[in-house]
Amino acid sequence: MNKFEGLTQAEAEKRLIENGRNCLKEEKQKTLLQMFLAQILNFTNAILGAAIIISIILHDYGEAVIMLVIVIANAVIGVVQEGKAQKALDALKKMSVLKATVIRDGETKEISSEELVVGDIVVLEAGKQVPADLKLLETARLMMDEKALTGESVPVEKDENFVADDKTGIGDRLDLAYMTTVVTFGRGIGEVIHTGMDTQIGKIADMVGQEKEKPSPLQKGMDELSRTLGIAVIIICAVVFLIGILQGREVLELLMTAVSLAVAAIPEGIPTIVTIVLALGMQRMAKINAIVKNMPAVETLGAVSYVCSDKTGTLTQNKMTVVKAFENGEYIDLDTLDIKAHDTLIKGLMLCNDASIASDGTEVGDPTETALVAFAKRYGIEKSVTEKSLPRINEKAFDSDRKLMTTVHTTEDGKIISYTKGSTDELLMRCTHIRVNGTVREITNEDMALISNAMSEMSFEALRVLSLAVREDNRDAVEQGLTYIGMIGMIDPERPEVVESIKTFKRAGIKTVMITGDHKDTALAIAKKLGIAERPDECVMGHELDEMTDEELRNRVSGLSIFARVSPEHKVKIVKAIQANNNIASMTGDGVNDAPSLKAADVGVAMGITGTDVAKGAADIVLQDDKFTTIEKAVKEGRNIYENVKKSILFALSSNISEVVVMFAAIAAGFAAPLKAVHILWVNLLTDSLPCFALGVDPNSSSDVMNKKPRKNGESIFADGGYFKVGLYSAIIAIVTLIAFLYTPIKELSASGAGYSLRNIIDCFSDKHILMQSQTLAFCTLAVSELFHAIGMRDTETSLFKFNHLDNKIMILAFVVGLLGQLAVTEIPFLRNIFGTVQMTVSMWAAVLILSLMPLVAHEIVVLVKKAKK
């Protein structure tokens, strides 16, 4: 290599002061207080806050404390989930700090990479990480592993003489070396052209930092629900207050009623139940090797309509593998290969090779060459053993001009043999003979045509093709007069299990999209095998994306399944185009180049084994086993979780609305309040919350969520009949509760022979004992009917007689605990005094049970009507 003087130390120090250090910028982190306030200041908490204040004014401290605990608990859980963007930047910063060998004042020295400046001359050697973006000045077989940045699975040979044009992507810039990429072979010298945030990795860091956290579909739905409930609470309380004033009721009594209505209308347990369900979902995800960092991502993954995946290491094995072989004028079945018949081909490719496999299985060397060593090992031929009997005595190294490599070996009987491997075209020009079935003869035009056709077929399948030739008595490694042996085709093969996962996604209405830094032909070949795409027009290249506007890409993206030779910016553009069509997108990747798109996607999924710290930091979910099939399992789990959350919310709403209807109807009719505030709070915390939780962990054994289309982005929680379910069951529960409330006065009026007029019923409630008994019946009917209603909500499409009731033991426990709790507040004197209830007779309990079964009767009728319609 030529001698370079480099910058002077004084000039380098001057530039360092002017342009700053070669490191990534750090964002100012939020304080703990700022994060906590951000969680506290939302609409739901504002409504609960108002209810807390009213409860304190009225000295109802129990309710106030419970609601305050709920608000604080939800805020603390939210704070724990903060700060993903900063973690990603920290990972990038850690990754980019290393030592650099530079030439300054004509001397070679080692400095911190942070001290590099534009114009510095950097020396590159095998095994070293590139400390900044460099323009290469000299190269000597310099091979770079750029997979983490570009997605290219095969190391790239650099060439300082390469001339790029405006359309050349970063993966094709053979004259540049990028920060954090690794030298796998050879040496080089380059001039620093970009440092810090101006480097390619710096641009990625900037993109990751700019991506803002997006609320999950469930969070959007919960916010919308909170606003609707908040407005409803205000209107209902105002109407009740106005009616009460017109009826001449006391203001204090009306305030108590208003608090009861607020408590009844707001299902304050829902945020906690949802949080618990999502947390349990995180635990179940962990059992299938999917570590969830961001809690809402559990549910969001179940809503995805697009799974965008990097090719290398995710859809493929990230390991070059020999998949085809051609010798003796025909293809060889690798599963039944005769080792003796093809001994020369296997051994020759293994020996003409600088790679090795350690005893612990670690592969050392270029991926193409390690594939050849692994190919031989597959048939029990160890390189370390074979080299002892066939030691190398000479070699001619590979270079990009010849596209060949030759090694010379001595045999055990003292003979000399050379093996030459490389480009089939180049090798054939140097071959004068061919060996067919052990016989050597002159090579003919027909032989060459047959070999060329085989090479073309392999190349059409995007295989990397290498041929082998031999020559005896060739101590000087002359690459002429060679005897052709055969060829192999290799590729980074698809993961076999991925095919079934993609089929499952298709059934589930989810489109799988391949986004890769590899070439179009390679990507299309793998995509065909996986069932992702069939035609070339389903593939688009990175330079084509540069020529498209965002609107053009948005219009075309639904017809595209492969994006090849793309940059990190392209990946973000693709994800946003998918999202612009109202789709929910998941992005899967493992490299630095994937980090911005992982952050931009609705759900980012990173590989845990092969993934970089940057990718893991930017992702919402990390796969411990790097298997695409785990994503399929996680999507199924996410769908189940959403179904359960939806069931929980609809159940809670129908229960709460029934309480509001009962209170509103009674007050409007001029009756006393059917339920006390403590009754409503008891029902909400016991016979609502426990069954609500049981619904949240339901196994959904009677439905196959992966045979349904994904829900639409922004779809209401009330989609698919949600309003009907809430309206029907809240009306039924409200009616049976009012019937229970009116049961005692009507019975008394019947016994006395008085008429059933509204005035007479109101007068009956002036008797304290009748009022307490009526409130007790209403309280018990409301609670028990909600317990029965929860059982039916497990599956509103299936008859109760077809349920496997034992597969949700928590529901059984919730039902038993709720029933025993209700017995306790009516049968234990101490609790009767607290709740203002009376002891129930057998006939009263019989009436409660008959009325409470009505939600299940309605459930069966609805199922029968739906079946009849179908």
Side-chain angles (χ1 to χ4, degrees):
M1 296 216 174
N2 296 333
K3 178 72 174 175
F4 292 90
E5 289 293 325
L7 298 175
T8 64
Q9 187 63 31
E11 178 62 23
E13 291 173 0
K14 178 185 174 185
R15 294 187 184 188
L16 188 63
I17 294 170
E18 290 175 351
N19 302 316
R21 300 179 73 80
N22 178 34
C23 57
L24 304 177
K25 291 180 182 177
E26 292 187 41
E27 290 184 354
K28 188 177 180 181
Q29 297 188 46
K30 289 181 183 178
T31 65
L32 194 63
L33 179 61
Q34 286 173 325
M35 289 190 287
F36 186 77
L37 288 176
Q39 293 292 330
I40 286 287
L41 301 176
N42 61 51
F43 196 83
T44 306
N45 287 339
I47 297 294
L48 287 173
I52 290 168
I53 292 168
I54 293 172
S55 296
I56 292 171
I57 292 172
L58 297 175
H59 305 290
D60 214 335
Y61 301 117
E63 290 180 17
V65 169
I66 289 169
M67 286 187 281
L68 184 62
V69 168
I70 289 169
V71 170
I72 293 173
N74 285 325
V76 169
I77 291 169
V79 167
V80 173
Q81 304 301 325
E82 285 280 330
K84 285 196 305 171
Q86 186 59 45
K87 288 179 182 178
L89 285 171
D90 289 344
L92 279 163
K93 184 175 183 294
K94 179 182 177 182
M95 187 176 182
S96 62
V97 174
L98 61 153
K99 295 290 184 180
T101 303
V102 299
I103 300 174
R104 286 183 180 172
D105 295 316
E107 295 182 0
T108 301
K109 57 179 70 176
E110 191 172 68
I111 63 171
S112 166
S113 65
E114 293 190 356
E115 296 175 15
L116 284 176
V117 296
V118 173
D120 260 327
I121 303 299
V122 176
V123 178
L124 300 175
E125 296 175 342
K128 293 238 177 172
Q129 219 176 74
V130 180
D133 285 1
L134 311 177
K135 174 69 174 76
L136 296 171
L137 305 175
E138 284 189 9
T139 59
R141 292 196 64 200
L142 182 64
M143 305 285 288
M144 305 292 303
D145 180 357
E146 298 182 337
K147 177 183 173 294
L149 185 65
T150 66
E152 173 66 70
S153 56
V154 178
V156 180
E157 185 173 4
K158 294 295 182 176
D159 180 5
E160 77 272 18
N161 298 315
F162 178 81
V163 178
D165 58 34
D166 294 338
K167 294 183 179 180
T168 306
I170 60 172
D172 296 315
R173 287 299 301 266
L174 304 183
D175 58 328
L176 298 182
Y178 302 107
M179 188 179 195
T180 73
T181 59
V182 179
V183 180
T184 60
F185 194 83
R187 303 182 305 279
I189 291 180
E191 180 182 351
V192 176
I193 54 173
H194 296 300
T195 60
M197 297 300 288
D198 293 328
T199 61
Q200 287 296 325
I201 193 174
K203 291 175 183 176
I204 292 172
D206 191 47
M207 291 168 67
V208 173
Q210 286 176 8
E211 286 296 331
K212 304 300 181 185
E213 293 290 335
K214 297 176 289 296
S216 75
L218 182 61
Q219 287 172 319
K220 291 176 185 176
M222 290 293 289
D223 288 343
E224 180 186 346
L225 179 62
S226 298
R227 286 177 173 81
T228 304
L229 285 175
I231 294 168
V233 167
I234 293 168
I235 293 172
I236 291 169
C237 287
V239 170
V240 167
F241 202 84
L242 182 61
I243 291 172
I245 293 294
L246 293 174
Q247 291 175 343
R249 301 195 186 209
E250 293 182 6
V251 173
L252 184 61
E253 179 192 351
L254 291 173
L255 280 174
M256 287 291 290
T257 303
V259 170
S260 298
L261 280 169
V263 172
I266 300 174
E268 61 272 5
I270 283 183
T272 305
I273 293 295
V274 169
T275 300
I276 292 171
V277 170
L278 292 179
L280 290 173
M282 291 173 72
Q283 292 178 20
R284 289 201 297 275
M285 291 271 201
K287 290 178 181 178
I288 59 170
N289 293 313
I291 305 301
V292 180
K293 295 167 50 190
N294 182 16
M295 193 178 290
V298 174
E299 170 270 331
T300 308
L301 190 61
V304 297
S305 48
Y306 273 76
V307 172
C308 304
S309 178
D310 182 36
K311 178 184 76 68
T312 307
T314 307
L315 300 176
T316 64
Q317 299 174 23
N318 193 24
K319 183 179 181 181
M320 292 298 288
T321 306
V322 175
V323 294
K324 278 201 172 184
F326 182 87
E327 189 177 0
N328 301 326
E330 60 185 14
Y331 287 106
I332 305 166
D333 185 341
L334 298 185
D335 292 327
T336 59
L337 179 145
D338 183 342
I339 300 172
K340 290 182 178 179
H342 304 286
D343 177 75
T344 303
L345 178 65
I346 298 171
K347 284 186 177 178
L349 292 169
M350 178 189 68
L351 292 169
C352 186
N353 192 315
D354 290 326
S356 62
I357 298 177
S359 56
D360 62 357
T362 304
E363 297 180 348
V364 182
D366 180 88
T368 299
E369 296 204 323
T370 57
L372 299 176
V373 178
F375 178 55
K377 190 171 183 179
R378 175 178 174 180
Y379 301 105
I381 303 173
E382 296 284 349
K383 186 179 182 185
S384 57
V385 175
T386 308
E387 282 181 323
K388 291 177 181 177
S389 58
L390 288 164
R392 185 187 300 187
I393 60 171
N394 195 9
E395 66 182 284
K396 186 175 284 186
F398 175 88
D399 69 46
S400 55
D401 293 329
R402 288 171 26 254
K403 298 180 181 178
L404 298 172
M405 174 182 180
T406 298
T407 58
V408 182
H409 303 260
T410 56
T411 64
E412 289 180 326
D413 56 6
K415 293 181 179 179
I416 294 175
I417 186 171
S418 69
Y419 299 103
T420 302
K421 81 169 193 295
S423 161
T424 302
D425 289 335
E426 293 291 332
L427 203 61
L428 282 177
M429 289 192 295
R430 293 167 168 79
C431 288
T432 56
H433 292 75
I434 186 171
R435 194 185 73 175
V436 180
N437 295 320
T439 302
V440 176
R441 60 172 171 78
E442 289 188 1
I443 195 166
T444 65
N445 290 332
E446 288 78 10
D447 293 325
M448 290 193 176
L450 193 62
I451 293 167
S452 295
N453 287 337
M455 180 191 70
S456 297
E457 287 178 12
M458 288 190 188
S459 298
F460 182 74
E461 296 176 33
L463 302 184
R464 189 169 193 185
V465 182
L466 288 176
S467 282
L468 178 77
V470 299
R471 178 174 168 172
E472 295 182 353
D473 299 324
N474 187 22
R475 184 180 292 273
D476 296 326
V478 175
E479 293 173 341
Q480 295 292 339
L482 306 175
T483 298
Y484 187 83
I485 301 297
M487 76 174 78
I488 54 92
M490 64 181 73
I491 198 169
D492 178 10
E494 72 280 3
R495 291 179 182 265
E497 69 276 8
V498 171
V499 177
E500 282 304 313
S501 292
I502 290 172
K503 286 180 181 177
T504 302
F505 280 145
K506 283 183 178 179
R507 288 199 307 272
I510 300 170
K511 182 170 183 177
T512 306
V513 174
M514 180 190 291
I515 304 178
T516 178
D518 269 346
H519 289 280
K520 180 178 180 179
D521 292 343
T522 305
L524 183 57
I526 293 294
K528 285 180 177 179
K529 291 180 179 180
L530 292 172
I532 292 175
E534 290 296 331
R535 307 179 312 275
D537 62 358
E538 294 179 76
C539 179
V540 69
M541 298 282 283
H543 68 81
E544 296 175 78
L545 291 175
D546 290 328
E547 297 169 2
M548 290 186 203
T549 64
D550 291 342
E551 187 63 27
E552 287 172 338
L553 180 56
R554 177 185 175 182
N555 293 333
R556 281 196 61 190
V557 74
S558 60
L560 299 172
S561 301
I562 307 168
F563 296 87
R565 219 64 185 146
V566 294
S567 67
E569 292 86 353
H570 291 144
K571 293 185 179 185
V572 174
K573 187 176 181 179
I574 294 161
V575 168
K576 291 189 173 179
I578 291 169
Q579 292 170 329
N581 287 329
N582 208 32
N583 293 302
I584 296 175
S586 165
M587 177 66 194
T588 304
D590 58 0
V592 177
N593 61 319
D594 297 316
S597 52
L598 289 172
K599 196 74 175 7
D602 296 287
V603 185
V605 182
M607 299 294 114
I609 300 172
T610 60
T612 60
D613 288 342
V614 183
K616 294 175 192 175
D620 302 291
I621 297 173
V622 178
L623 304 183
Q624 285 185 301
D625 56 6
D626 284 15
K627 291 182 179 178
F628 188 81
T629 49
T630 302
I631 303 173
E632 176 207 332
K633 295 175 186 175
V635 168
K636 182 178 181 179
E637 189 66 50
R639 287 190 172 192
N640 273 325
I641 287 166
Y642 178 76
E643 288 296 316
N644 289 344
V645 168
K646 183 175 178 178
K647 286 189 291 191
S648 298
I649 291 173
L650 294 181
F651 165 74
L653 285 176
S654 57
S655 300
N656 284 79
I657 290 172
S658 65
E659 295 164 12
V660 173
V661 171
V662 166
M663 294 291 288
F664 184 81
I667 298 298
F671 300 152
L675 301 164
K676 295 180 179 181
V678 69
H679 295 166
I680 295 171
L681 193 63
W682 173 262
V683 168
N684 286 358
L685 293 178
L686 187 70
T687 57
D688 270 7
S689 294
L690 287 179
C692 200
F693 173 69
L695 288 170
V697 296
D698 196 65
N700 291 309
S701 55
S702 61
S703 63
D704 185 359
V705 292
M706 293 305 280
N707 281 331
K708 299 176 181 177
K709 299 296 180 186
R711 69 184 187 274
K712 296 177 182 177
N713 193 4
E715 179 179 288
S716 170
I717 202 95
F718 298 103
D720 298 325
Y723 286 112
F724 171 76
K725 292 170 189 174
V726 171
L728 174 66
Y729 292 111
S730 59
I732 290 171
I733 294 170
I735 290 168
V736 297
T737 303
L738 285 169
I739 290 172
F741 180 61
L742 296 172
Y743 174 81
T744 301
I746 289 174
K747 184 180 177 182
E748 290 293 325
L749 291 172
S750 177
S752 65
Y756 302 130
S757 67
L758 190 64
R759 183 71 262 167
N760 286 344
I761 294 172
I762 293 172
D763 288 342
C764 277
F765 285 129
S766 61
D767 184 315
K768 187 177 179 182
H769 178 73
I770 290 176
L771 177 59
M772 285 182 66
Q773 185 168 301
S774 296
Q775 287 177 330
T776 302
L777 280 166
F779 177 29
C780 290
T781 302
L782 175 69
V784 179
S785 63
E786 289 184 4
L787 290 174
F788 281 118
H789 173 43
I791 294 172
M793 279 300 293
R794 285 190 60 199
D795 189 343
T796 57
E797 308 291 323
T798 305
S799 170
L800 292 163
F801 301 103
K802 294 184 179 179
F803 276 21
N804 180 2
H805 294 282
L806 296 177
D807 67 356
N808 191 336
K809 293 179 175 59
I810 295 178
M811 180 62 78
I812 297 171
L813 178 64
F815 186 89
V816 171
V817 169
L819 206 55
L820 290 175
Q822 210 56 38
L823 279 167
V825 298
T826 61
E827 306 308 312
I828 298 174
F830 170 71
L831 292 177
R832 284 206 302 266
N833 291 333
I834 293 175
F835 285 89
T837 55
V838 300
Q839 189 170 17
M840 298 265 286
T841 65
V842 174
S843 62
M844 290 168 69
W845 273 116
V848 166
L849 288 173
I850 291 169
L851 289 170
S852 298
L853 281 168
M854 290 305 106
L856 291 186
V857 173
H859 174 277
E860 289 302 296
I861 293 170
V862 170
V863 170
L864 287 172
V865 170
K866 285 183 178 179
K867 278 189 176 180
K869 285 184 177 180
K870 286 181 180 179

